[in-house]
Amino acid sequence: MSPNLESTLKSQVPALLLRRLFSAGGGARRDEAAAAAKQQKRQMPAGRRRVFVQTESGCVLGMDLDRGDNAHTVKRRLQLALNVPTGGTSLTFGDRVLENDLSSVRSDSPLLLTRNSIHRSCSTPCLCPVSEDFEQKDCSGLVEILGSSTVSVKCLVDDVATAIRSGLDPVPIDSGLGGSYYFRNVGGDRVAIVKPTDEEPFAPNNPKGFTGRALGQPGLKKSVRVGETGFREVAAYLLDHDNFANVPATALVKITHSIFNINCPMNGGTPAHDQKHQITSKIASFQQFIAHDFDASDHGTSSFPVAAVHRIGILDIRIFNTDRHGGNVLVRKLDGGTGRFGCQTELFPIDHGLCLPENLEDPYFEWIHWAQASIPFSEEELEYIRKLDPMRDVELLRRELPMIREACLRVLVLCTIFLKEAATFGLCLAEIGEMMTREFRGMEEEPSKLEVVCMEARKRVTEWEPFSPGVEQGEDMDFQFSMDVLGGYNDMIRSPRFNCSGMKASNFRNPLTKLVESMNEDNDDDEDRKETFMHSSSRIPSALFNPPSVHRTTSLNGSAHTLNRSADEQLPSSMCFVRFADMSTEEWHVFIEKFQELLKEALDECKAAAGQRMKLRMGTSCKF
């Protein structure tokens, strides 16, 4: 096949169909196609479901599943339609590997085709044959919502689709590490921000040079996989009950446009989106655009409403946000008026793609250093926290985002329980955030106070009678490592280190999004992590447990050199002290019981230490 011919076939969706949709004078045909797609969705026969299958390199195919379909037939149809090899691949749906039974897959679900081999190629784009047969198989609209959504999101989707048909192109966003785009309405106003999952940092079609990983592999945070930040954006919106924290309306969509990026297979080639007529379908997060004056990093925080900061912080605690810096808190000035809290500024939290990790990592809460976070919660906020039901939230996410992994849901349950208990004990937002944040001393990272409690609870689960006799040596290395490094740990909660003392700002790591400041972590696998545990340095007297530490180095070499390094070298360091995914359901229930028992003791000590600090502070400060 000649290079020119290959270039014409690189589109990931049927070129013939899309030419008809976008061609000049084809308005009637475009409207007919959109109406047909909506009609097909409404009149889906009983037992038939519409799903969207995505390959590791970002190709997306919408197809209808019949009762008799299985993983083999889905892969066969994908192979015929997109000309992708399916040998040695698995069809996955979140944690589940799909085989003969597809009954767990509901309509509008995104599925992922992954290779079973560890050596994956994510640089070769997909070829899509132009055929009338395939045109009938994928009758997608320009923007399709995956799952349910609110009326406001549906209105935004309709506005964007109308603008696309009228020829109004979206605008690429230069900032950030991933590909993102402003989509507009027919009046030219920005109404939505779209982030394709295959253009995330390290994803195969990232337009800014951060490539080298396939969808489903570890991303910027090792416990947040490439291609899975989009549904986390939706999860944050769903969990913001009654719009308590002001998260903009968000949905997961399949969206089609020529603006999207497709990387070329050959090094040094021009990006595919610079070539004309490269019309592409992507799975992406679709978020309402919020008109604002600046973000929190460009403005003094003293004018921010206390309630607004508290509400954003409460959400961040629940979803274990690992990337809450000032740049993803939008600020709107209300000249001549007042906002929902009687102030002249209004805050909007955005960019929640790095929340709900699969394991506890080092979160980043910039609001810890804001004065508002040290003010006690109001009665309204405490009542909201009391009404939070982690199991109801889990069921909500399982219903609306069935692809979400079980480990992410466990992090949500754990953090919600922690928030409720800590608020009941009278801790303020800053104190709760400090208990969740790791200390960074010298060149070493130590577990947070929350992780210390989890480590002790995990140890007690292994010692619990039904579990302790049945574990065979070498059966599960991830499970066994805790037995190697946690011995002599019984008094950890009462150790001098567990005193909830305040931490200076210098102890906190820089925000994750400032990738250049922490780009020289070598991506060690579990064997290297275990070795790091065994060589961790001692910060506590030898009679007590020595918590594992992570040795880190920081390099601020020129950005041109740094950005050309491999994805493995660019990943920020991340140590997992406690894993949740390897627990059985029974172990998880016992773990939560032990965690709650230990947490009360830890909060008692933390509250006492906080009271002592307050006395010292009031005794040396000026009069109020």
Side-chain angles (χ1 to χ4, degrees):
M1 181 181 294
S2 68
N4 292 336
L5 180 58
E6 181 180 355
S7 176
T8 63
L9 294 177
K10 254 190 302 192
S11 173
Q12 294 173 277
V13 292
L16 177 61
L17 173 63
L18 289 168
R19 258 185 230 114
R20 293 178 180 177
L21 290 176
F22 286 96
S23 61
R29 285 194 296 269
R30 291 194 296 266
D31 293 339
E32 289 173 6
K38 290 184 178 180
Q39 185 71 10
Q40 180 187 17
K41 195 169 183 178
R42 284 195 299 265
Q43 297 180 352
M44 190 74 67
R48 177 173 289 187
R49 293 150 293 161
R50 182 162 180 76
V51 298
F52 301 91
V53 186
Q54 186 176 34
T55 69
E56 286 181 320
S57 55
C59 302
V60 180
L61 174 68
M63 66 173 69
D64 297 334
L65 295 183
D66 293 318
R67 292 182 186 273
D69 284 332
N70 55 35
H72 176 74
T73 59
V74 169
K75 289 194 283 187
R76 178 61 178 164
R77 290 163 67 182
L78 193 70
Q79 182 181 30
L80 293 174
L82 298 182
N83 194 26
V84 294
T86 58
T89 61
S90 297
L91 193 66
T92 62
F93 182 46
D95 289 319
R96 286 158 284 181
V97 177
L98 302 175
E99 295 179 355
N100 292 330
D101 185 13
L102 300 183
S103 60
S104 62
V105 179
R106 74 168 206 191
S107 187
D108 296 328
S109 293
L111 309 181
L112 179 63
L113 184 74
T114 61
R115 293 195 177 277
N116 298 330
S117 171
I118 219 169
H119 302 289
R120 306 180 182 183
S121 172
C122 55
S123 59
T124 304
C126 300
L127 305 179
C128 179
V130 179
S131 68
E132 294 293 337
D133 181 54
F134 179 58
E135 180 180 348
Q136 294 174 2
K137 292 180 182 178
D138 192 347
C139 300
S140 303
L142 292 178
V143 188
E144 287 194 60
I145 299 174
L146 278 60
S148 60
S149 63
T150 61
V151 174
S152 60
V153 171
K154 291 178 180 177
C155 291
L156 285 177
V157 166
D158 289 341
D159 290 345
V160 165
T162 302
I164 293 175
R165 294 188 194 101
S166 68
L168 195 62
D169 290 334
V171 179
I173 301 175
D174 294 329
S175 60
L177 299 177
S180 54
Y181 305 85
Y182 291 124
F183 275 72
R184 300 180 286 177
N185 59 18
V186 290
D189 301 321
R190 298 172 179 175
V191 294
I193 295 179
V194 172
K195 300 178 183 178
T197 58
D198 67 330
E199 296 187 26
E200 296 176 7
F202 303 123
N205 290 317
N206 181 275
K208 299 174 182 178
F210 292 96
T211 58
R213 296 233 154 193
L215 300 181
Q217 291 185 319
L220 277 173
K221 287 280 188 176
K222 290 183 181 178
S223 59
V224 177
R225 303 175 192 237
V226 175
E228 296 187 2
T229 64
F231 72 72
R232 285 175 165 85
E233 297 263 16
V234 181
Y237 171 65
L238 294 174
L239 293 172
D240 185 25
H241 306 308
D242 303 321
N243 204 224
F244 188 73
N246 243 9
V247 178
T250 313
L252 201 64
V253 300
K254 175 178 178 282
I255 186 166
T256 302
H257 203 279
S258 60
I259 194 71
F260 296 131
N261 185 65
I262 307 172
N263 285 326
C264 290
M266 303 301 293
N267 294 331
T270 57
H273 74 274
D274 289 341
Q275 305 170 14
K276 300 300 182 183
H277 309 302
Q278 294 295 312
I279 300 171
T280 313
S281 279
K282 305 259 183 161
I283 292 177
S285 64
F286 182 99
Q287 186 171 83
Q288 175 189 5
F289 174 74
I290 299 297
H292 57 282
D293 297 285
F294 38 79
D295 60 54
S297 64
D298 297 328
H299 189 268
T301 62
S302 60
S303 65
F304 296 167
V306 174
V309 174
H310 282 189
R311 291 176 178 222
I312 292 174
I314 288 170
L315 176 68
D316 287 341
I317 296 295
R318 292 169 59 206
I319 62 178
F320 201 85
N321 196 346
T322 65
D323 191 30
R324 175 63 72 210
H325 58 88
N328 56 35
V329 177
L330 304 181
V331 184
R332 179 191 290 170
K333 295 176 66 176
L334 303 172
D335 297 330
T338 56
R340 61 198 296 200
F341 306 115
C343 299
Q344 294 187 344
T345 56
E346 193 171 9
L347 305 185
F348 298 87
I350 60 170
D351 291 345
H352 297 101
L354 294 176
C355 71
L356 295 177
E358 294 180 39
N359 301 302
L360 295 185
E361 295 215 15
D362 187 21
Y364 187 82
F365 305 137
E366 186 160 321
W367 42 253
I368 280 183
H369 313 300
W370 299 354
Q372 295 90 332
S374 296
I375 298 175
F377 290 122
S378 66
E379 282 302 319
E380 181 184 3
E381 292 158 357
L382 290 173
E383 181 63 20
Y384 180 87
I385 294 172
R386 278 192 291 268
K387 290 182 178 180
L388 291 174
D389 184 344
M391 299 315 300
R392 184 182 63 187
D393 290 340
V394 165
E395 290 306 315
L396 170 67
L397 294 187
R398 280 180 177 155
R399 182 175 65 252
E400 300 298 333
L401 299 170
M403 76 294 292
I404 193 168
R405 299 179 186 273
E406 186 66 23
C408 304
L409 299 177
R410 290 179 174 183
V411 169
L412 172 64
V413 171
L414 182 89
C415 293
T416 304
I417 292 173
F418 173 65
L419 170 65
K420 291 168 71 71
E421 293 286 350
T424 301
F425 269 75
L427 269 62
C428 67
L429 182 62
E431 291 165 339
I432 297 173
E434 285 175 358
M435 287 190 68
M436 300 177 72
T437 304
R438 294 177 180 176
E439 292 192 43
F440 189 52
R441 299 179 178 178
M443 304 306 294
E444 294 174 356
E445 188 176 62
E446 297 185 353
S448 67
K449 297 172 179 65
L450 174 62
E451 287 174 303
V452 168
V453 178
C454 291
M455 292 162 72
E456 173 65 9
R458 188 71 174 97
K459 176 176 178 288
R460 295 192 181 186
V461 169
T462 64
E463 294 173 347
W464 194 52
E465 188 172 306
F467 299 138
S468 55
V471 179
E472 298 179 5
Q473 185 174 3
E475 183 180 24
D476 188 340
M477 294 305 297
D478 288 338
F479 183 83
Q480 286 291 320
F481 91 89
S482 60
M483 302 301 293
D484 295 332
V485 301
L486 296 183
Y489 173 63
N490 293 330
D491 296 323
M492 180 58 187
I493 300 299
R494 296 185 177 87
S495 70
R497 185 183 170 277
F498 199 85
N499 56 13
C500 203
S501 58
M503 290 187 289
K504 297 179 181 179
S506 61
N507 286 334
F508 288 91
R509 213 171 38 160
N510 288 332
L512 172 65
T513 40
K514 299 177 180 178
L515 183 65
V516 178
E517 300 180 14
S518 58
M519 276 187 170
N520 51 344
E521 187 268 342
D522 54 345
N523 185 26
D524 296 335
D525 289 330
D526 289 342
E527 290 295 327
D528 298 315
R529 292 193 197 117
K530 292 171 201 155
E531 185 176 350
T532 304
F533 270 121
M534 302 306 296
H535 292 84
S536 60
S537 65
S538 174
R539 291 282 178 186
I540 299 176
S542 57
L544 301 174
F545 168 69
N546 296 328
S549 304
V550 183
H551 186 73
R552 301 159 68 105
T553 57
T554 303
S555 172
L556 295 178
N557 295 331
S559 58
H561 167 74
T562 306
L563 296 181
N564 287 330
R565 300 166 66 187
S566 69
D568 287 347
E569 294 175 306
Q570 295 176 30
L571 286 174
S573 65
S574 171
M575 175 59 98
C576 174
F577 294 104
V578 182
R579 296 183 186 276
F580 297 139
D582 62 347
M583 296 188 207
S584 67
T585 302
E586 187 179 7
E587 286 177 318
W588 169 248
H589 291 157
V590 175
F591 171 83
I592 286 296
E593 291 178 7
K594 303 298 181 185
F595 171 77
Q596 290 178 285
E597 294 170 4
L598 294 164
L599 183 59
K600 296 182 186 301
E601 182 180 349
L603 291 172
D604 276 332
E605 294 188 16
C606 193
K607 183 65 177 176
Q612 184 63 29
R613 288 202 311 275
M614 181 60 68
K615 289 181 181 179
L616 293 173
R617 187 181 302 132
M618 295 298 290
T620 57
S621 62
C622 60
K623 294 182 180 180
F624 293 96

